Amino acid sequence: MLSRNAQGLYWIGRYLERAEHGCRLLADQLKALEDRPVEDIDRTWRRLYAGLDRKPIGGSLESNLDDEGFMLADSYTLADDLTFEPNNPDAIRNCIAAARENARQIRNVIGKDMWYCLNLAYLELRNTEIEDIWNDRPGEFYLRTEDTIRTFSGIADGIMYRDNGWHFLQLGRFVERAQLLATLVDAHIATFPTGEPHIESDWCSLLQICEARVAYSHQYSLEYQPINVVNFLVSDPLLSHSIRYALSQISCALDAISVHRPAVDAGRLGGRMSAHIDYDWPNRDPDNDNATRNTLQIIRNSCLRLHENIEATYFDYEIEDSPRL
Amino acid sequence: MNKELPRSTLPAQSHNPMAEESFFSGYKIDSSYYDEMFKSSDEPHDHCRKLWEALDTMSHASITAMQERAERSFLQEGITFSVYEEEGAQERIIPIDLLPRILDAQTWDLIERGLRQRLKALNLFLADIYGPARILSDEILPTDLVYSRPQFRIQMRGVRVPHGTYVSLCGTDLVRTHDGFLVLEDNLRVPSGVSYMLANRRALKTSFRNLFRQHRVRSIENYGSLLRQTLTELAPPGILDPCIVLLTPGIYNSAFYEHMFLAREMGIELVQGKDLLVHNGFVYMRTTGGLQRVDVIYRRVDDDFLDPLAFRPDSQLGVPGLFYAYRLGNVVIANAPGTGVADDKSVYPYVPSMIRYYLNEEPLLGNVKTYLCREPDGLEYTLDNLEHLVVKMVGGSGGYGMLVGPHATPAERAAYAEEIRKNPANFVSQPTLNLSCAPCLTSRGAAPRHVDLRPFVLHGCETRLAPGAFCRVALTPGSLVVNSSQGGGGKDLWVLSP
């Protein structure tokens, strides 16, 4: 497969996963705006930004917890920043535009319906602004956008030929997912360090963001204990939004791609990440979170290196690194 | 890009439709033009009778609704064409007119034979001027004319081209007058429009299912496989299953949709310059499995941008070293570089002489009378008769920079005359043609609009033609300019089975 096509699919996978993640976070946050106290909203915004590894405009959040109106106005600005801000490359609209731009370049190798789906989503979004969605149930906007992305994934799953193109799409999607999840879980642990009081509803909404609440309640109970929630989201092999699951999907994709050209270093990186979770987890120190957070940091760093490695091996290699000649 | 979604492109008319009128009741024939549908005001040509009867019983509203559906599907599919303007490129759909134009088998046969003959002569001409140049020493063409063309590529001297095929794909513009079909232009570089021919056909088949079946229209759907066959034949010797790619300048090119479409139809990779590299005299593309050798490049990049080492050094679109690999015979480029010299507007008047010279045959398709301003007589005639002539720049294309004398103001003509005097060799003029008209859908029913025809001829070892064409329409009443870049639209052409 042409490297640029594979690269396009890989990036479509990454951008759409990022956009979907953003939609889920914001849909959840907007629910909080309906009935939660101001301190909660302030805390959750801070964590949301930490979970995306992004600084709010101006460098930090300026809170005024005595003024509810201020907090809500701030929410408007923050949601705009994460959804429509032209200068934020990770804003939802920019992610979808970038995915569509990639799709446009490689339309000849993706299904027609995949293109229609992305193109229509883009045409609808390109003229939408925060004021268009804010007054009329903004949560629905995020749910709808999330739906479109899932429709795209569904079509891809239904019709794509399982060649390298498919595997690169999956690879992009799950590398992004593993990285986003590691950052998000870490941000939650940072808010409620071990030994300090925690707020159960925050952990519940974390599970909800990860589509894991029902599965969690079957596995554990209706008590949202931080240690259990973290354990579930990191190591459950069956949960589609767990780090362990994302890593196993990365390995599957790499194995399939390696048939044509071995990905020695990438395979090693993926294997090592999985081994960390399979054999070193849980390694929770009862007194502090260092070990847990360390593991999450390793996952994040390894994802970055994996990405660089994939770029260098498959997309942008030198003549002398090519296996055939 | 447009801020709003494009609307229906029906040409506006000032009256409201009157329900009781039949579809053709407002159709006025002007006897100075050949009408593609009617012999006289109420008598269609025999081969158009069935269509006429069917349309005349349909309601205007139902045809308009079909038209709108077709346009929506074009937008969804992204069948767009970029129009270059001062503020950058605008993405537009190519307006489609749903009423088909019909040619009977006999007429098509003449066109087909004429096009085959013409392409054969043009390929012989190119082989000659990049080789022994007999036609110049025999003084059929002025030597300085050929060598002064910017599209004459000295680099092509002595390059061996497979089967002598310089032009493997051309899109010839034909117009019809009362005197029959004439060739308006040979497009021998990177002609586009074939995807619109296929898209228009798909829309027509969906809209007029029964009518289409009744007409026994010849199929053009195998165009992709004809093109692939043609490109396969061009492969370097000894390569039976060549790796063929389509080289595109990228998504900002006006015809990107077509490049994507053709790559998909043919099942070949769509590559950009940066995907290819030259190593040890061979061309490779970067794949996820490593470098893969490329044997045939169907390029949609102009000569100038193909290879910065051979042509324009500032080109970012090309592949450094490509021309070197080509000279070695390790890769085939289709069309060959340097074919533009043969479709130059000042070489065009000599094509009938080429046919006689190389083939010893009389041309089956005529040329439009052309005055070369580089010659004193031609210049004088042009300047004296500007109000009757169409003046074109010799290197121009796409309808940019031309003057339609009868439609221009005296001031525009005077300004243009000044340009001509400054550099006469850069201009040619032709009488304003009475292009034929075909019925088009307007808000008031059918109305006549000027049309032309661009069939696509392929040549590898042998010549192949899909029995169809991109039929271009000037959507503005009375306008003679059909170019897509000037707001023209498209129609489907139905070639009937014998």
Side-chain angles (χ1 to χ4, degrees):
Chain A
M1 159 166 259
L2 191 66
S3 290
R4 192 168 43 78
N5 293 347
Q7 194 177 18
L9 283 158
Y10 174 82
W11 278 110
I12 291 173
R14 288 204 76 145
Y15 279 126
L16 290 183
E17 182 69 24
R18 202 174 297 173
E20 193 185 336
H21 185 73
C23 284
R24 273 202 306 270
L25 288 175
L26 281 158
D28 180 74
Q29 180 67 3
L30 291 177
K31 257 191 277 167
L33 293 184
E34 290 162 6
D35 55 0
R36 303 270 282 270
V38 178
E39 309 81 68
D40 277 17
I41 295 172
D42 179 64
R43 183 183 65 251
T44 45
W45 271 123
R46 284 170 193 283
R47 192 175 50 226
L48 205 154
Y49 267 85
L52 290 170
D53 222 355
R54 179 174 169 80
K55 296 248 181 312
I57 310 163
S60 65
L61 276 178
E62 280 183 37
S63 308
N64 183 350
L65 295 182
D66 301 331
D67 181 353
E68 203 166 310
F70 176 82
M71 198 60 233
L72 293 179
D74 227 22
S75 296
Y76 177 90
T77 315
L78 296 173
D80 185 28
D81 178 45
L82 297 178
T83 314
F84 299 111
E85 173 55 43
N87 296 320
N88 174 6
D90 299 332
I92 292 169
R93 180 169 62 189
N94 284 339
C95 287
I96 290 184
R100 185 254 187 190
E101 195 63 19
N102 275 291
R104 192 167 162 226
Q105 303 237 14
I106 57 168
R107 265 185 72 185
N108 55 315
V109 295
I110 62 173
K112 228 177 228 175
D113 294 328
M114 291 164 70
W115 163 251
Y116 286 171
C117 178
L118 262 188
N119 192 33
L120 288 178
Y122 165 78
L123 291 175
E124 195 187 317
L125 258 181
R126 68 175 168 173
N127 294 323
T128 308
E129 297 298 339
I130 187 77
E131 55 267 28
D132 302 324
I133 66 164
W134 196 256
N135 295 326
D136 186 29
R137 287 177 294 182
E140 273 185 19
F141 164 81
Y142 294 104
L143 294 178
R144 215 173 43 240
T145 309
E146 193 188 336
D147 259 359
T148 307
I149 297 169
R150 288 179 175 176
T151 305
F152 177 87
S153 310
I155 298 171
D157 182 47
I159 65 173
M160 265 183 94
Y161 186 58
R162 274 5 185 211
D163 64 354
N164 265 353
W166 164 257
H167 297 300
F168 275 104
L169 179 70
Q170 292 294 92
L171 190 58
R173 194 172 164 204
F174 286 104
V175 169
E176 183 77 22
R177 185 175 295 181
Q179 209 171 338
L180 290 171
L181 279 175
T183 318
L184 181 66
V185 172
D186 188 54
H188 275 258
I189 297 174
T191 327
F192 300 118
T194 297
E196 289 181 27
H198 69 94
I199 295 172
E200 225 179 76
S201 63
D202 277 29
W203 293 100
C204 175
S205 73
L206 175 63
L207 284 170
Q208 249 152 2
I209 290 166
C210 298
E211 309 288 348
R213 203 189 60 79
V214 176
Y216 175 90
S217 63
H218 285 290
Q219 195 84 340
Y220 297 90
S221 67
L222 286 177
E223 269 179 51
Y224 303 112
Q225 285 299 329
I227 186 167
N228 291 342
V229 173
V230 170
N231 191 35
F232 194 53
L233 293 180
V234 171
S235 68
D236 191 278
L238 304 181
L239 177 69
S240 69
H241 284 74
S242 78
I243 293 175
R244 182 65 189 86
Y245 181 81
L247 293 178
S248 63
Q249 293 298 310
I250 291 171
S251 296
C252 284
L254 284 174
D255 285 348
I257 291 163
S258 295
V259 172
H260 302 286
R261 183 170 177 191
V264 182
D265 293 340
R268 234 178 246 157
L269 276 166
R272 230 178 265 148
M273 281 193 275
S274 302
H276 261 294
I277 293 175
D278 289 345
Y279 303 115
D280 293 342
W281 183 273
N283 61 348
R284 198 164 244 259
D285 187 329
D287 299 327
N288 64 54
D289 304 309
N290 292 347
T292 310
R293 296 191 67 185
N294 193 28
T295 304
L296 293 172
Q297 190 59 45
I298 288 172
I299 303 276
R300 290 166 69 183
N301 291 342
S302 305
C303 284
L304 282 175
R305 282 171 54 209
L306 185 63
H307 169 82
E308 284 162 10
N309 194 273
I310 291 163
E311 288 264 341
T313 312
Y314 294 104
F315 306 152
D316 205 12
Y317 51 86
E318 301 294 326
I319 295 179
E320 49 272 23
D321 295 332
S322 169
R324 304 183 202 166
L325 258 188
Chain B
M1 252 200 228
N2 285 337
K3 278 250 156 162
E4 291 176 20
L5 298 183
R7 299 263 161 74
S8 163
T9 46
L10 294 185
Q13 298 249 335
S14 51
H15 298 278
N16 285 325
M18 287 157 65
E20 68 272 18
E21 283 186 356
S22 75
F23 189 60
F24 283 106
S25 62
Y27 194 83
K28 297 271 182 310
I29 292 176
D30 179 340
S31 62
S32 52
Y33 308 111
Y34 180 88
D35 193 282
E36 296 288 342
M37 188 142 181
F38 292 97
K39 272 193 246 181
S40 61
S41 56
D42 46 6
E43 180 71 9
H45 297 296
D46 293 342
H47 63 273
C48 296
R49 183 171 295 278
K50 234 186 276 175
L51 177 69
W52 174 67
E53 284 169 358
L55 289 176
D56 223 28
T57 58
M58 286 168 86
S59 79
H60 180 244
S62 68
I63 300 179
T64 307
M66 286 195 286
Q67 167 97 11
E68 279 166 5
R69 264 203 303 280
E71 282 174 359
R72 261 203 312 279
S73 79
F74 272 40
L75 179 67
Q76 187 180 17
E77 170 97 345
I79 306 183
T80 53
F81 185 93
S82 307
V83 179
Y84 301 115
E85 282 168 0
E86 277 168 20
E87 291 146 42
Q90 295 262 316
E91 220 179 297
R92 295 191 191 148
I93 66 166
I94 296 227
I96 173 177
D97 181 83
L98 221 47
L99 308 183
R101 173 180 175 185
I102 304 183
L103 289 182
D104 59 25
Q106 216 181 345
T107 311
W108 178 256
D109 181 60
L110 171 73
I111 292 177
E112 175 162 351
R113 284 186 293 125
L115 290 173
R116 284 171 183 269
Q117 177 193 50
R118 199 167 169 104
L119 182 59
K120 197 169 172 192
L122 286 165
N123 266 320
L124 288 169
F125 168 70
L126 286 162
D128 189 13
I129 57 161
Y130 288 121
R134 282 190 301 124
I135 197 165
L136 303 181
S137 47
D138 288 343
E139 296 181 355
I140 309 290
L141 252 82
T143 305
D144 65 323
L145 172 68
V146 173
Y147 291 155
S148 65
R149 294 304 90 212
Q151 300 293 332
F152 178 81
R153 304 289 177 190
I154 191 76
Q155 300 90 329
M156 284 297 291
R157 260 279 158 74
V159 174
R160 295 241 305 252
V161 170
H163 317 296
T165 302
Y166 284 80
V167 179
S168 39
L169 186 139
C170 83
T172 311
D173 289 340
L174 297 174
V175 295
R176 189 185 227 180
T177 66
H178 279 304
D179 306 329
F181 280 97
L182 297 174
V183 175
L184 187 63
E185 225 170 77
D186 301 287
N187 293 293
L188 309 176
R189 305 172 206 185
V190 286
S192 62
V194 77
S195 59
Y196 308 118
M197 163 176 102
L198 295 165
N200 288 345
R201 171 60 55 87
R202 213 165 34 211
L204 265 276
K205 271 172 97 169
T206 321
S207 305
F208 295 120
R209 252 194 342 267
N210 293 331
L211 207 52
F212 187 82
R213 171 175 284 280
Q214 286 162 17
H215 273 82
R216 298 178 53 235
V217 180
R218 289 181 64 188
S219 165
I220 51 172
E221 272 84 356
N222 65 343
Y223 179 83
S225 90
L226 293 182
L227 179 55
R228 182 159 175 166
Q229 244 174 303
T230 300
L231 295 170
T232 306
E233 285 172 4
L234 295 174
I239 295 178
L240 298 177
D241 185 18
C243 171
I244 307 171
V245 298
L246 194 159
L247 176 63
T248 172
I251 53 170
Y252 298 108
N253 185 266
S254 66
F256 180 75
Y257 169 79
E258 173 155 313
H259 306 161
M260 186 286 295
F261 176 88
L262 287 175
R264 197 184 172 113
E265 284 291 299
M266 287 191 278
I268 63 174
E269 294 289 359
L270 177 66
V271 302
Q272 300 179 8
K274 60 188 176 197
D275 298 322
L276 300 181
L277 58 90
V278 177
H279 182 62
N280 287 339
F282 289 90
V283 179
Y284 296 90
M285 66 174 166
R286 267 204 185 81
T287 75
T288 51
L291 295 176
Q292 184 182 343
R293 196 179 140 185
V294 171
D295 305 303
V296 179
I297 299 177
Y298 172 35
R299 52 87 173 230
R300 297 294 295 256
V301 174
D302 288 334
D303 284 1
D304 273 335
F305 299 101
L306 267 182
D307 177 356
L309 301 179
F311 304 108
R312 265 177 69 161
D314 59 341
S315 168
Q316 305 280 317
L317 304 173
V319 186
L322 177 60
F323 195 74
Y324 168 67
Y326 177 66
R327 279 196 74 110
L328 292 176
N330 292 336
V331 69
V332 171
I333 300 175
N335 291 340
T339 51
V341 65
D343 73 6
D344 186 279
K345 289 187 175 68
S346 56
V347 173
Y348 159 86
Y350 296 96
V351 177
S353 323
M354 293 176 200
I355 295 175
R356 293 188 195 100
Y357 180 75
Y358 292 115
L359 306 177
N360 207 11
E361 292 170 8
E362 270 308 300
L364 296 167
L365 292 169
N367 256 24
V368 180
K369 175 80 187 139
T370 304
Y371 305 95
L372 296 175
C373 297
R374 69 193 293 273
E375 290 167 3
D377 293 353
L379 176 63
E380 195 187 328
Y381 181 85
T382 303
L383 292 173
D384 288 350
N385 295 284
L386 263 191
E387 67 274 26
H388 307 299
L389 298 172
V390 175
V391 191
K392 299 172 176 174
M393 295 208 252
V394 290
S397 67
Y400 291 98
M402 67 190 251
L403 175 86
V404 182
H407 296 177
T409 63
E412 283 168 345
R413 285 201 292 268
Y416 208 87
E418 202 47 48
E419 292 297 313
I420 300 176
R421 277 192 204 95
K422 267 189 225 159
N423 184 7
N426 199 24
F427 295 90
V428 297
S429 66
Q430 295 171 335
T432 309
L433 291 176
N434 292 337
L435 256 59
S436 64
C437 282
C440 286
L441 183 63
T442 70
S443 54
R444 252 193 105 201
R449 296 284 183 269
H450 293 292
V451 291
D452 83 346
L453 199 61
R454 179 179 284 186
F456 296 89
V457 194
L458 304 173
H459 184 83
C461 290
E462 53 177 284
T463 310
R464 298 183 177 88
L465 242 94
F470 178 38
C471 174
R472 300 186 297 176
V473 193
L475 289 173
T476 323
S479 167
L480 292 169
V481 184
V482 294
N483 301 72
S484 311
S485 45
Q486 308 293 320
K491 253 178 181 314
D492 192 18
L493 178 81
W494 289 3
V495 175
L496 304 184
S497 306

